[in-house]
Amino acid sequence: IQWALAPPRRTKAMFASTMFKACLYHPDESQLLTCGSDRKLTYWCAYEGNPIRILEGSQHQINALAVDREGNYFACGGLACQLKLFSYDEGELSAVGDGHSGAINAIKISPDQKRLVSVGSEGAIFIWQYPYAAGEVDESKSFK
C-alpha cells in the first residue's frame, strides 16, 4: 500500500498472492521489485501499481533483494540458501552463490559495487566478490 503523508491517505495498493518479504525501487524510480513467499520476483509500475513482469526466482521463499546503483543487476536470496544475481532488464539469472546453511535474510551491494554482503539465519555474514564490478565481467556464473 502506498500512502500520502499529508493528508494521510492511501494512494494505491498492489495485490499479489504472497506474503511480501522485500521491496525496492529501481534507481530510476520507475519500477518497484518485490519478492515473497510465492517464490516470485515481481516488477511493478511505480506510478500505477500494476505488475509488469513476474519471474520464477526460486523453488523456495525469497526474503531479500538488492539492486546495483545503475539498475543493471539485482540480487536475491531466501530459504534456498543461495545468493542469486539477475540482469534487471532481461530477467535472466547471471550468477549463483552457494555457501549459506540457513536462509538469507538480508543482502547489500557495496557502494563501490565491488562486493555483495549477505546475512543468513545461521548467523553467518558472507562477503562476495561482485562479478560485474567496474566493467569487469566474470562469466563463470558463480560468486567467489
Side-chain angles (χ1 to χ4, degrees):
I1 298 176
Q2 183 177 353
W3 291 89
L5 294 177
R9 63 183 170 80
R10 184 178 86 174
T11 58
K12 70 180 71 116
M14 300 181 307
F15 296 99
S17 296
T18 188
M19 179 178 291
F20 292 111
K21 293 295 185 173
C23 178
L24 58 77
Y25 265 108
H26 186 274
D28 70 10
E29 298 182 15
S30 66
Q31 295 179 2
L32 295 163
L33 182 64
T34 62
C35 66
S37 60
D38 65 353
R39 309 172 315 273
K40 297 188 183 346
L41 300 161
T42 304
Y43 298 61
W44 302 82
C45 175
Y47 306 108
E48 297 179 11
N50 299 326
I52 298 168
R53 172 193 247 176
I54 300 172
L55 303 177
E56 288 292 331
S58 179
Q59 294 181 357
H60 302 281
Q61 176 176 295
I62 304 170
N63 296 333
L65 294 169
V67 66
D68 69 13
R69 69 174 170 244
E70 286 85 23
N72 294 326
Y73 295 92
F74 69 90
C76 69
L79 297 183
C81 308
Q82 290 182 317
L83 180 67
K84 293 183 178 182
L85 190 67
F86 288 83
S87 58
Y88 193 96
D89 291 338
E90 293 81 18
E92 294 178 2
L93 184 63
S94 299
V96 176
D98 291 305
H100 282 283
S101 61
I104 295 174
N105 295 322
I107 302 168
K108 295 291 182 197
I109 299 173
S110 68
D112 65 2
Q113 297 196 120
K114 292 184 177 181
R115 304 274 185 260
L116 287 101
V117 177
S118 58
V119 179
S121 61
E122 79 275 40
I125 298 173
F126 280 59
I127 301 173
W128 309 85
Q129 183 177 349
Y130 188 58
Y132 303 104
E136 303 168 15
V137 178
D138 178 2
E139 297 293 337
S140 66
K141 295 218 179 230
S142 63
F143 288 106
K144 298 176 182 158

